[in-house]
Amino acid sequence: MKAYLTLLSVVFSLLLNGCSGPVEQVSILAGSELKDIKPMLDEIKRETGVEIEFHFTGTLDGAETLASGAHYDMGWFSHAKYLSLLEGRANQKFIHGSEKIMLSPVVAGVKKSVADRWGWCDNAQVSWKEFSDKAAQGELTYAMTNPASSNSGFSSTVGVQSALAGGETLQPDMIDNEAMSGFARGHKLTAGSSGWLADKFVAEQHQVDAIFNYESVLIGLNESGQLREPLCLIYPPEGVITADYPLLLLNKAKQQAFSKLIDYFKQQPVQQRLMSETARRPVIPGVALDKRFPDAVVLELPFPGKVETVDQILMTYLDKQRAPSTSIFVLDLSGSMRGDNLQQLKQAMHNLAGGDQSITGKFARFRAREQVIILPFSSQPMASQTYDIESGIGNDPVLQQLRNEINQLVANGGTAIYSALDSAYGLAKTARAQDSDRFYSIALLSDGANTQGLSYGGFRDLYRQNHDDYAGIPTFPIIFGGADKQEMEKLAHLTGGRAFDSTKHSLSQVFKKIRGYQ
Amino acid sequence: MRKIVGPLLTGLLVVGVAAAIYVSADKQLSQLNKVTVRGLIGSEKLAFFQDPRVIEAFANKGLEVEVKKSGSREIATRHDLNNWDFAFPAGVPAAEKISRENQARKSYQVAFTPMVVASWESIAKILEANGIARMRDNIYYLIDMKKLLEIIEQGKRWTDLPQNESYQARKSILINSTDIRRSNSAAMYLALASYLFNDEAVVENTTQADALVDRLANLFIRQGYTEHSSAVPFNDYLIMGIGKAPMVMAYEAQYLYAASQSQLRGDMRLLYPEPTLYTKHVLVALSEPGEQFGQVLTTDPTLQGLMIEHGWRNSDRAGFDSFIQSRKLQVPASLVNVIEPPSYEVIESMIQTIERDHYGGAH
């Protein structure tokens, strides 16, 4: 009887769903901010007969994955312009269809009390140039993602660069290094993804005056009830870059499913729902903007037309303009690391030291002006080595030296994670006392539980006692091998960092990802 | 209960299966008589081929049409054209190349549409105040292309123009087009600019072309990233409005179709470049069914009428006029100053030089 009823309900749901034929599955490689589409997946399946399997990643990462020929049926990112430029340069065709689904410009959110100081709230004349000037004078600090890892940071950087170039479309020779360095002085909170930057901003909102992000994210922050004061959204008159979220067809055999999804997303009620639930703007003329969006015209800046321009913007930013980083790597050399684990670690460090020639590898490697500190540990912390990177390219002797040292690492002994971490904070504190205009962070790799020295609780107490000296130096623990996942996540939370799971990705990939946050 | 539900359900399933068999048999029968034709089209014609009325009109003539959209320049350079029944790119140059290099059975002049600049009342007023545009019939404008290209080449910004209160953007004055390496509408802009840069004469050979190519390249390079097909910038015009691009190179047909679908806002304006040129939509039949398709498309009055409803002009002048009147649209009765594009070889050589010298050889 029960079986009959189940069958009956299946028959009914087939009758009701209005679409004929079996459910078709499609894999979509998507930008991580599109997680907010997940609540719609059941409805999409019901309405279109297409079952979406999302795989999330960053915009640039995704572009590289697709350009290197990975097999996904579709792609969905904040934009496909960089991917399209790569496609052109490689003289290949892997985008077989592209339709914009929704829009969100990258704009500035300035805390109301700060904006009021200069009459910036609801003022359409506040330009990128003024952001740059205020930052250069030390009057404005802000949160922005790393432009090499995340599109919102990239779009903001292009905005300032274009404004400084006088409104012309950026070409490789127009990157104004000095003026841009002034803007970079205000960059105090960084992150590898737009969503995480928003969380970080909420957690440390007393630290900075402003945040650059998608309009949708900023509207979301203002509606979240988590801000101590609202953000004034500013749309600079030189123009902004709007993310247009194209759905991309990659596997020609999925043309029909692609068309069904496009038809679905472009329906008026769906566009309406996307706008109310995700605060992104509609792409069909029939849907009017609701009152959360300003009436004023949003001026659009041109997106660079060549891969070389994009590369030049990023390289100049990383090597010359942004505040340099001091990146401390606390590395487990306990006995359990012996063999494959140690090999993976060496490979990952080699990649950062110039061994990875891929697009993302090029941006993730150690940079000119960066200070890299390696602090190995086993039963106790070992001597640290400091490398002041010079050019960061080719035959930089410091990189060469770093690679040699990494080759010689040997695993042996116990696991004193927190004693090592405490030493790392000591190093960071001393370094920051001498030079505060750098980004300080700690990447922690351990493949097992803490067996010696300070306990987690002991470290936590020390951290709290030294809060003023340690705050703003996040730890990025890597969950690797037999590491204690919960403890690593607590540690990340305590220090304002983020835990990275290396059980699903190679250590090299995880290290690359962490680079976006350093 | 158990006893009742069982047979009832079985009955339902049997009816369902019978219905499925009946439906598919009926479909198969009609498909036996129907000829399927497959073709490559420029993206601007996709809406036409997706229109249910168009599909029905073809079905009435025993044709089922499958189309795939592509950039017109991409269609002309494909190597697998003999696998298709027809190619229907935008622009004579692409169609000519296809006819010449493939075993084309026949080509049909199906429709044409002038190149226009889709813009805004405020922009038109600024251009008018600066002596670059003139209003006609109280609704559309003519642009003096020579003057407009002059200020574009001078690198002027909107804020540099006097008598401009309404568009205070520090952006360079540019016409937004598609990617010159992929799409016909950009090639038409190139053709138009080359005529004006060449002292108002059609560029006839590569020597003349080479002398102009850097200036021409600038019109495109300065736009930054450009889209692959004309449907995208026109849709941006409809959605993102004046902030995205104040002037968009488009087909008149796109604008008229959007107007007839009530997709336009009140302050949108159509600017006609002077001179302008026509994009002719030539169908190249590559197989016998392709020829049958061409025959139907150019002779069936319903399809001719539907083409007009999608904004194109064709041999039915009266039909076009009545479409314009019935939708309360206004367009120039006739365009006097219309030039011819250079030959395919000359256009192709200009595009290839731009590609080589300004995009590092890739596309």
Side-chain angles (χ1 to χ4, degrees):
Chain A
M1 175 62 206
K2 203 176 165 194
Y4 266 129
L5 278 180
T6 316
L7 191 58
L8 192 63
S9 76
V10 169
V11 170
F12 258 92
S13 68
L14 281 175
L15 289 173
L16 287 173
N17 76 14
C19 73
S20 54
V23 167
E24 188 171 8
Q25 289 184 327
V26 299
S27 58
I28 300 186
L29 186 66
S32 45
E33 68 268 41
L34 288 166
K35 283 182 184 150
D36 57 13
I37 303 295
K38 275 165 117 182
M40 298 175 74
L41 291 184
D42 284 343
E43 187 189 305
I44 294 172
K45 186 172 155 192
R46 217 166 43 236
E47 295 284 319
T48 64
V50 177
E51 185 172 6
I52 294 175
E53 185 188 309
F54 272 128
H55 301 263
F56 293 106
T57 179
T59 306
L60 193 68
D61 253 347
E64 175 170 27
T65 308
L66 297 181
S68 64
H71 296 291
Y72 291 94
D73 296 324
M74 296 174 204
W76 198 3
F77 295 96
S78 55
H79 69 91
K81 297 184 174 82
Y82 190 69
L83 182 61
S84 168
L85 293 176
L86 289 176
E87 185 186 45
R89 185 165 70 174
N91 227 333
Q92 282 176 327
K93 190 163 174 67
F94 39 80
I95 305 174
H96 301 291
S98 169
E99 290 284 343
K100 302 177 182 190
I101 304 295
M102 52 200 177
L103 306 170
S104 195
V106 174
V107 299
V110 182
K111 282 178 174 171
K112 184 148 194 318
S113 63
V114 178
D116 283 345
R117 218 180 284 160
W118 305 312
W120 278 15
C121 228
D122 298 317
N123 178 347
Q125 294 307 313
V126 184
S127 65
W128 287 112
K129 178 86 172 50
E130 281 172 88
F131 275 98
S132 174
D133 291 346
K134 291 276 187 238
Q137 291 151 15
E139 290 177 40
L140 179 84
T141 58
Y142 58 85
M144 182 179 90
T145 58
N146 182 331
S149 334
S150 150
N151 178 57
S152 68
F154 178 71
S155 298
S156 313
T157 310
V158 169
V160 181
Q161 296 265 17
S162 307
L164 296 172
E168 274 282 324
T169 303
L170 288 175
Q171 308 295 345
D173 57 356
M174 286 160 65
I175 312 302
D176 185 337
N177 179 31
E178 213 156 296
M180 193 64 198
S181 303
F183 173 70
R185 279 195 61 197
H187 192 185
K188 296 298 176 199
L189 281 187
T190 185
S193 90
S194 307
W196 198 77
L197 185 79
D199 294 345
K200 178 112 177 157
F201 178 81
V202 169
E204 301 186 19
Q205 47 190 300
H206 55 285
Q207 297 271 15
V208 289
D209 304 320
I211 171 171
F212 295 100
N213 216 316
Y214 297 108
E215 177 190 59
S216 59
V217 170
L218 299 179
I219 289 177
L221 280 176
N222 271 342
E223 289 174 350
S224 70
Q226 294 179 299
L227 297 185
R228 257 167 255 145
E229 55 173 310
L231 297 167
C232 293
L233 269 57
I234 292 173
Y235 301 72
E238 297 99 332
V240 296
I241 291 185
T242 296
D244 49 18
Y245 295 95
L247 184 64
L248 307 170
L249 176 65
L250 306 167
N251 174 3
K252 282 194 232 177
K254 296 289 181 183
Q255 174 70 53
Q256 259 194 326
F258 179 72
S259 304
K260 282 182 195 161
L261 288 175
I262 299 299
D263 289 347
Y264 169 78
F265 281 120
K266 291 213 171 172
Q267 293 170 64
Q268 201 150 327
V270 177
Q271 288 280 312
Q272 190 78 45
R273 182 173 168 195
L274 284 171
M275 176 169 66
S276 32
E277 287 181 16
T278 73
R280 298 194 189 94
R281 298 172 179 235
V283 289
I284 59 171
V287 180
L289 289 178
D290 66 39
K291 57 180 186 301
R292 294 177 295 172
F293 300 91
D295 282 337
V297 166
V298 177
L299 288 169
E300 188 74 8
L301 275 172
F303 192 89
K306 299 173 194 169
V307 181
E308 293 72 32
T309 317
V310 174
D311 289 355
Q312 182 73 17
I313 291 170
L314 293 177
M315 290 301 182
T316 317
Y317 185 80
L318 295 172
D319 287 337
K320 296 185 176 161
Q321 298 162 345
R322 62 165 271 180
S325 301
T326 291
S327 311
I328 304 177
F329 289 83
V330 179
L331 304 175
D332 185 350
L333 290 183
S334 64
S336 60
M337 283 290 289
R338 226 173 284 153
D340 184 50
N341 284 0
L342 184 62
Q343 213 39 53
Q344 275 204 53
L345 167 62
K346 288 183 177 180
Q347 184 61 52
M349 291 303 287
H350 261 273
N351 284 351
L352 299 189
D356 182 351
Q357 297 298 319
S358 66
I359 301 160
T360 45
K362 228 167 43 183
F363 296 124
R365 69 173 180 232
F366 296 134
R367 313 240 54 107
R369 307 173 303 148
E370 182 168 7
Q371 189 174 57
V372 180
I373 301 176
I374 310 279
L375 174 61
F377 70 93
S378 56
S379 305
Q380 56 188 15
M382 302 177 194
S384 66
Q385 293 286 340
T386 301
Y387 304 90
D388 291 302
I389 311 296
E390 290 169 15
S391 68
I393 44 171
N395 294 328
D396 185 331
V398 182
L399 277 186
Q400 186 62 47
Q401 199 193 337
L402 195 158
R403 285 195 290 261
N404 289 342
E405 299 277 344
I406 290 292
N407 278 343
Q408 287 163 24
L409 296 180
V410 191
N412 199 4
T415 313
I417 299 175
Y418 296 104
S419 299
L421 194 57
D422 184 46
S423 302
Y425 269 95
L427 291 171
K429 173 191 156 185
T430 316
R432 192 163 67 170
Q434 285 165 7
D435 182 359
S436 63
D437 286 336
R438 299 177 75 92
F439 287 109
Y440 291 87
S441 68
I442 297 169
L444 169 69
L445 174 84
S446 168
D447 74 338
N450 191 46
T451 60
Q452 271 158 299
L454 266 179
S455 65
Y456 173 70
F459 173 77
R460 186 192 53 211
D461 295 343
L462 274 178
Y463 182 89
R464 286 183 180 154
Q465 281 163 30
N466 291 289
H467 187 267
D468 288 351
D469 288 331
Y470 291 178
I473 305 171
T475 294
F476 300 106
I478 298 157
I479 296 160
F480 182 58
D484 184 338
K485 188 171 175 190
Q486 271 191 326
E487 204 169 274
M488 293 294 118
E489 273 163 2
K490 276 195 283 184
L491 174 64
H493 186 73
L494 174 73
T495 61
R498 179 180 190 177
F500 289 85
D501 196 340
S502 178
T503 50
K504 287 184 197 136
H505 306 278
S506 75
L507 207 48
S508 290
Q509 283 172 304
V510 170
F511 268 50
K512 228 152 76 164
K513 209 168 229 170
I514 289 181
R515 295 292 291 159
Y517 293 76
Q518 293 180 318
Chain B
M1 182 61 190
R2 175 182 305 216
K3 279 181 189 146
I4 302 170
V5 172
L8 184 68
L9 187 62
T10 314
L12 255 178
L13 287 174
V14 169
V15 171
V17 171
I21 292 171
Y22 173 76
V23 168
S24 78
D26 184 53
K27 209 173 172 191
Q28 274 170 5
L29 266 180
S30 68
Q31 272 170 355
L32 278 180
N33 305 327
K34 219 183 251 177
V35 179
T36 303
V37 283
R38 295 171 64 245
L40 294 160
I41 60 165
S43 68
E44 69 289 335
K45 290 185 281 282
L46 187 64
F48 174 75
F49 284 104
Q50 286 179 337
D51 187 331
R53 296 171 300 171
V54 173
I55 294 169
E56 197 194 327
F58 278 117
N60 290 339
K61 295 284 175 180
L63 289 175
E64 188 176 36
V65 185
E66 282 177 17
V67 292
K68 183 175 176 355
K69 67 172 178 175
S70 188
S72 294
R73 185 163 177 259
E74 283 174 319
I75 297 176
T77 50
R78 278 175 85 112
H79 300 297
D80 66 341
L81 284 172
N82 53 359
N83 294 336
W84 299 86
D85 296 313
F86 66 89
F88 198 7
V92 172
E96 262 180 14
K97 180 178 162 73
I98 296 166
S99 297
R100 212 167 325 128
E101 294 174 8
N102 296 275
Q103 288 174 342
R105 298 176 70 100
K106 202 168 173 185
S107 46
Y108 301 84
Q109 179 94 254
V110 180
F112 64 99
T113 187
M115 297 310 298
V116 296
V117 172
S119 188
W120 303 82
E121 170 79 8
S122 55
I123 297 296
K125 284 259 151 60
I126 297 166
L127 295 176
E128 191 177 34
N130 283 275
I132 297 164
R134 290 172 294 147
M135 196 187 218
R136 278 286 177 281
D137 297 336
N138 284 321
I139 184 80
Y140 61 87
Y141 290 78
L142 301 177
I143 316 175
D144 184 331
M145 274 308 274
K146 197 171 179 182
K147 281 190 190 157
L148 181 57
L149 286 174
E150 255 167 42
I151 61 163
I152 288 175
E153 281 204 294
Q154 287 162 4
K156 288 238 161 87
R157 288 174 227 156
W158 286 101
T159 40
D160 294 336
L161 291 185
Q163 306 192 57
N164 166 12
E165 272 87 53
S166 50
Y167 193 68
Q168 285 295 313
R170 284 173 225 173
K171 299 210 291 191
S172 294
I173 300 170
L174 292 170
I175 300 176
N176 275 62
S177 72
T178 44
D179 190 330
I180 183 63
R181 297 161 292 172
R182 300 176 199 252
S183 152
N184 175 72
S185 64
M188 290 295 110
Y189 180 28
L190 178 86
L192 188 54
S194 72
Y195 173 88
L196 291 163
F197 290 169
N198 194 36
D199 293 328
E200 299 181 47
V202 177
V203 176
E204 282 177 337
N205 53 55
T206 48
T207 318
Q208 286 176 350
D210 287 347
L212 306 172
V213 90
D214 284 344
R215 286 172 71 193
L216 292 167
N218 255 319
L219 301 175
F220 299 94
I221 302 291
R222 287 176 59 209
Q223 293 179 48
Y225 181 85
T226 44
E227 300 284 355
H228 298 187
S229 66
S230 57
V232 185
F234 190 74
N235 201 52
D236 285 348
Y237 167 72
L238 294 178
I239 306 302
M240 297 173 74
I242 195 170
K244 167 81 180 181
M247 298 189 288
V248 178
M249 188 56 73
Y251 300 118
E252 181 193 55
Q254 291 176 299
Y255 190 95
L256 296 182
Y257 180 63
S260 76
Q261 298 293 303
S262 310
Q263 291 181 337
L264 297 188
R265 296 184 220 167
D267 53 347
M268 288 174 161
R269 291 292 177 272
L270 198 47
L271 315 185
Y272 286 85
E274 251 191 349
T276 188
L277 31 66
Y278 290 129
T279 284
K280 292 175 183 155
H281 295 268
V282 178
L283 169 76
V284 185
L286 299 163
S287 71
E288 202 278 320
E291 207 172 321
Q292 196 186 336
F293 165 77
Q295 197 63 34
V296 169
L297 183 60
T298 45
T299 54
D300 183 71
T302 315
L303 286 166
Q304 292 276 294
L306 287 168
M307 279 233 105
I308 290 171
E309 288 206 24
H310 278 262
W312 278 289
R313 301 176 186 231
N314 56 21
S315 52
D316 182 5
R317 176 68 190 270
F320 181 76
D321 289 345
S322 82
F323 163 71
I324 293 297
Q325 275 163 22
S326 72
R327 302 300 159 103
K328 301 197 166 54
L329 302 170
Q330 247 169 335
V331 299
S334 61
L335 292 164
V336 201
N337 200 347
V338 179
I339 60 157
E340 285 295 318
S343 70
Y344 178 81
E345 283 69 25
V346 171
I347 289 194
E348 190 58 24
S349 116
M350 291 194 280
I351 296 173
Q352 282 177 10
T353 312
I354 292 174
E355 201 166 333
R356 190 190 64 216
D357 295 353
H358 298 272
Y359 289 95
H363 69 94

